[in-house]
Amino acid sequence: MLTNDLDFRLEPRLLELYEEHKQRSAKIDWGYHEFLPWDKAQDFRRVPWDPSQVTLPSSVVTAIETALLTEVNLPWFTSHLAQTFKGSLTVIQDFVHTWTAEEDQHSNLLETYLLITRSVNPSRLHELHKMTVENGWSPDFHTPFETMVYTSMQELATMVFYNNVAKEANKHDPDLGKILRRLAKDETLHYAFYRDVIKFHLQLEPNYCYHLGHVIKNFQMPGAVMPDFEDRMAIIAKEANYGPLEYFDQVLDVIIKYWDIENLRPIAPEAEKARLDILNYHARMKRIKERFMRSQK
């Protein structure tokens, strides 16, 4: 069995998972207006923007701007999910609607914060926002299971990003630290749903390993389509607590252990080969990380 669709036998368990998500989400429901420092707002027509008004370090501004330009891809991501899960399990289609509603205010919060605090040139931010959305986003995989693998990793990576950057941001603006930690809570709940959908499938049918490898070994955030993405990530890795080392320790290593890939035993030879390829990739990335850490001593 090498199907790449989701298994209908798991629908009762996924319904329970979805209900749990809604209950947990309802307990921490929020509106982005609650987290913004409105007392700092000024009319740009009356008080034009000037670089001297920026109070945050450039590395933190770059991190927040990069997060925003990732979040604004929500229409494209939702479109991909809707098309991918059309005809798949109803509970997954319902979750995509809930996920979209919960994600929708993330970009509003980040963009409004940047404008209120005058941390960016508003005209330049408008141009970047528009350019990023116009560029669009589409993955190089199109099956329900692979998409679930991708969203699991993407939500975990975003959660880690927000929590890590919050530690640096909090030194300069506690309001911003609070905003980022609030966003991370949403990503935590979304990650929990997606990762467990994958775990349930692997437990039921280890041959699903066949469809893990391509996504894991080629993972990129949807924000990779934004202008100067690599330069941005280099700055963030150096000065804002999220780079390749954090990705390995807090995303790749975590997800491979959670899905227990080492102990899965698929029957199909192609699936077993894919499982071993993932473990070899993980081991190679670990060696690279360890060599780098030794070089820094």
Side-chain angles (χ1 to χ4, degrees):
M1 176 183 173
L2 293 177
T3 180
N4 54 34
D5 202 352
L6 303 180
D7 197 307
F8 71 92
R9 292 174 293 176
L10 287 170
E11 189 148 27
R13 293 187 71 184
L14 301 188
L15 281 168
E16 291 178 7
L17 195 63
Y18 180 38
E19 288 302 318
E20 288 173 9
H21 170 84
K22 288 192 291 185
Q23 291 171 14
R24 294 172 66 190
S25 179
K27 291 178 181 178
I28 58 169
D29 192 25
W30 60 288
Y32 78 93
H33 64 282
E34 303 170 53
F35 290 84
L36 289 165
W38 294 108
D39 57 308
K40 297 179 181 179
Q42 297 183 80
D43 189 335
F44 283 105
R45 293 166 297 183
R46 185 173 56 82
V47 184
W49 182 83
D50 184 88
S52 65
Q53 298 163 350
V54 179
T55 59
L56 293 173
S58 60
S59 57
V60 173
V61 173
T62 296
I64 305 312
E65 192 178 83
T66 300
L68 166 64
L69 296 177
T70 300
E71 296 283 4
V72 298
N73 271 305
L74 180 64
W76 296 108
F77 205 93
T78 301
S79 175
H80 169 71
L81 295 180
Q83 292 175 30
T84 300
F85 296 123
K86 185 177 182 179
S88 189
L89 302 181
T90 300
V91 61
I92 300 300
Q93 297 177 49
D94 291 343
F95 180 79
V96 168
H97 293 167
T98 298
W99 173 85
T100 302
E102 292 171 355
E103 289 276 343
D104 183 55
Q105 60 181 349
H106 290 190
S107 63
N108 292 335
L109 175 56
L110 293 172
E111 187 162 23
T112 308
Y113 170 84
L114 289 172
L115 294 173
I116 283 177
T117 58
R118 295 181 171 251
S119 298
V120 293
N121 180 330
S123 297
R124 175 180 167 275
L125 186 64
H126 169 71
E127 292 171 2
L128 286 171
H129 185 150
K130 186 176 179 181
M131 185 187 309
T132 301
V133 176
E134 282 183 339
N135 284 343
W137 175 84
S138 59
D140 61 350
F141 49 85
H142 303 280
T143 66
F145 188 78
E146 287 177 312
T147 295
M148 274 287 170
V149 175
Y150 180 85
T151 50
S152 300
M153 297 184 69
Q154 182 257 330
E155 294 292 322
L156 176 57
T158 307
M159 177 196 81
V160 171
F161 179 94
Y162 282 140
N163 278 328
N164 287 12
V165 174
K167 295 174 184 176
E168 181 63 26
N170 203 64
K171 300 174 186 176
H172 309 282
D173 183 359
D175 285 336
L176 179 55
K178 185 177 180 181
I179 284 170
L180 297 175
R181 289 190 296 272
R182 174 54 264 189
L183 294 176
K185 289 181 180 179
D186 276 2
E187 310 299 357
T188 300
L189 293 185
H190 299 158
Y191 162 62
F193 180 87
Y194 287 123
R195 73 172 185 191
D196 283 346
V197 171
I198 295 300
K199 189 174 183 69
F200 293 165
H201 279 78
L202 291 171
Q203 291 172 337
L204 179 67
E205 179 49 81
N207 283 334
Y208 273 108
C209 277
Y210 179 74
H211 301 289
L212 286 175
H214 173 67
V215 180
I216 289 176
K217 293 186 290 183
N218 296 281
F219 177 77
Q220 268 195 326
M221 289 294 287
V225 298
M226 76 181 66
D228 305 318
F229 179 74
E230 292 184 3
D231 292 341
R232 290 170 175 275
M233 294 310 296
I235 293 169
I236 295 166
K238 185 177 180 181
E239 302 180 47
N241 296 331
Y242 185 82
L245 297 181
E246 290 78 12
Y247 172 75
F248 178 84
D249 283 340
Q250 297 175 269
V251 181
L252 181 64
D253 195 48
V254 168
I255 205 75
I256 284 179
K257 289 177 178 175
Y258 188 81
W259 288 336
D260 199 22
I261 294 174
E262 185 173 358
N263 295 311
L264 293 173
R265 291 297 178 264
I267 297 174
E270 305 98 313
E272 174 62 6
K273 180 180 182 302
R275 185 185 74 88
L276 295 175
D277 285 347
I278 294 168
L279 294 176
N280 288 335
Y281 170 76
H282 175 260
R284 186 167 70 253
M285 293 300 101
K286 184 177 182 180
R287 289 194 298 271
I288 292 172
K289 174 216 161 182
E290 290 171 345
R291 282 201 300 270
F292 178 81
M293 296 298 291
R294 287 195 297 270
S295 73
Q296 299 302 299
K297 293 181 180 180

